[in-house]
């Protein structure tokens, strides 16, 4: 008896795009159900990489109480069968500004981190020297200023 590998996210994605079997969930073993939880969020995330499916995903994600099996059946009934290549959109891993600078501006103006980033963007566009002076007031050395391109 051969042991089957547990279902992964891409098995569910391929099931929606390629297999579209009506009894997909009925054929899952208890072990497979425990090993990988069917994640509606991740399914939506991958399906939304195709611009044609964004309205479907946007509408469907409003209904959070849909059972997993019904969710799968709905998608397989709506999405055309066939191999899909959708470019995965990654988030930016590197920060645009130095963390210490964002925290400094946040504390100086007593604002949130998001607002501090906006302030820094304004500084960079219109008053880079003012930002440099602010950093120097707080004892930031020349080496860090140079790294931050000030």
């Amino acid at each position: 008896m051969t042991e089957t590998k547990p279902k992964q996210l891409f098995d569910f994605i391929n099931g929606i795009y390629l297999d579209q079997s009506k009894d997909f969930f009925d054929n899952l073993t208890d072990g497979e159900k425990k090993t990988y939880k069917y994640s509606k969020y991740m399914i939506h995330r991958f399906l939304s990489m195709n611009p044609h499916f964004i309205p479907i995903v946007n509408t469907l994600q409003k209904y959070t109480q849909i059972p997993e099996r019904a969710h799968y059946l709905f998608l397989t009934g709506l999405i055309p069968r066939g191999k899909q290549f959708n470019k995965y959109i990654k988030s930016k891993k590197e920060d645009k500004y130095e963390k210490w600078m964002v925290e400094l501006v946040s504390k100086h103006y007593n604002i949130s981190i998001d607002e501090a980033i906006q302030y820094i963007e304004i500084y960079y566009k219109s008053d880079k020297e003012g930002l440099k002076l602010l950093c120097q007031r707080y004892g930031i050395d020349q080496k860090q200023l140079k790294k931050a391109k000030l």
Side-chain angles (χ1 to χ4, degrees):
M1 186 151 115
T2 61
E3 192 173 313
T4 60
K5 67 178 189 158
K7 299 288 185 210
Q8 299 292 322
L9 174 63
F10 290 106
D11 293 323
F12 291 111
I13 298 290
N14 286 332
I16 292 168
Y17 282 138
L18 299 172
D19 183 20
Q20 295 191 342
S21 170
K22 302 289 183 212
D23 57 350
F24 178 81
F25 273 87
D26 300 332
N27 292 336
L28 291 177
T29 65
D30 290 335
E32 287 175 330
K33 290 177 184 174
K34 290 178 186 175
T35 303
Y36 186 82
K37 183 171 177 359
Y38 181 85
S39 173
K40 292 182 225 173
Y41 169 77
M42 290 304 293
I43 300 290
H44 291 164
R45 186 170 175 178
F46 275 89
L47 292 178
S48 67
M49 299 298 164
N50 183 328
H52 300 292
F53 299 148
I54 290 174
I56 296 168
V57 172
N58 189 37
T59 302
L60 187 57
Q61 69 187 2
K62 294 175 187 174
Y63 303 100
T64 58
Q65 300 302 318
I66 296 174
E68 294 166 351
R69 185 176 188 279
H71 182 266
Y72 172 83
L73 290 173
F74 178 79
L75 289 172
T76 56
L78 202 59
I79 292 179
R81 176 181 276 168
K83 188 80 172 153
Q84 300 269 334
F85 174 77
N86 300 316
K87 184 173 169 85
Y88 185 76
I89 302 168
K90 297 178 183 176
S91 64
K92 293 182 180 179
K93 289 191 177 184
E94 61 182 64
D95 294 328
K96 192 172 181 179
Y97 304 108
E98 298 288 329
K99 186 177 179 181
W100 61 264
M101 187 188 315
V102 175
E103 289 174 357
L104 184 143
V105 171
S106 174
K107 288 178 183 172
H108 179 77
Y109 290 107
N110 198 22
I111 55 176
S112 72
I113 297 294
D114 291 335
E115 289 174 312
I117 291 170
Q118 291 176 351
Y119 276 44
I120 293 170
E121 287 173 359
I122 293 168
Y123 265 124
Y124 266 85
K125 288 178 185 172
S126 60
D127 190 18
K128 216 172 186 181
E129 190 61 34
L131 180 59
K132 183 176 180 179
L133 290 172
L134 177 67
C135 292
Q136 288 173 336
R137 262 191 256 159
Y138 283 90
I140 304 300
D141 65 5
Q142 203 63 30
K143 190 176 180 181
Q144 285 181 298
L145 291 174
K146 190 173 181 178
K147 186 178 178 186
K149 298 177 182 157
L150 287 177

